[in-house]
Amino acid sequence: MADNKLTATVKWLDEMTFVAESGSGHQTVFDGNSPGTAASPMEMILMAAGSCASVDVVSILEKTRQQVVDCRCEVTGERVGETPNVFKKIHLEFVVTGHNVEDKHVDRAVKLSADKYCSVAKMLEASVELSHSYKIIAV
């Protein structure tokens, strides 16, 4: 069984810029200024949700032998107006491009990710209204 413990370290660089390093050794720069020289922590939340869900959707579509050549997840978040300005709504729209990609498979993949597999979305849904949509581009 895989180890369920993940770690990260965040180190201050200068001004409001930090570098985060995952336990597996991958680094990402964050910037608390708006706009800054790197993504903000809240933008990273959106990117994490989109990345996690995209992994699920592509994996499920591959298992159903859909001929996907591209998958993009466009994520939008709406924050509350007062501090701490948490997200109140997040929408993920998947744009799936491929040859003869069937609507029923994309619909199922998006629903499975949202309802069962995406751990980031499952964690966020306790306090954020999450929604999903998709469109298919035939090539």
Side-chain angles (χ1 to χ4, degrees), residues 21 24-25 32 40 50 53 57 60 73 86 88 94 110 112-114 125 138:
E21 183 171 339
S24 60
S40 73
V57 168
I60 293 165
C73 183
V86 297
K88 64 179 176 180
F94 296 89
V110 169
L112 280 171
S113 175
E125 74 181 10

Side-chain angles (χ1 to χ4, degrees), residues 10-57:
V10 179
K11 183 179 182 329
W12 179 43
L13 296 177
D14 60 25
E15 297 182 23
M16 286 291 109
T17 307
F18 299 80
V19 64
E21 183 171 339
S22 67
S24 60
H26 297 88
Q27 294 185 338
T28 302
V29 177
F30 291 82
D31 195 330
N33 289 319
S34 180
T37 58
S40 73
M42 293 303 280
E43 290 172 315
M44 288 288 189
I45 299 268
L46 296 179
M47 290 189 279
S51 298
C52 184
S54 293
V55 167
D56 298 334
V57 168

Side-chain angles (χ1 to χ4, degrees), residues 90-103:
I90 295 177
H91 181 76
L92 294 86
E93 179 172 49
F94 296 89
V95 181
V96 179
T97 303
H99 306 283
N100 302 314
V101 175
E102 294 183 49
D103 183 83

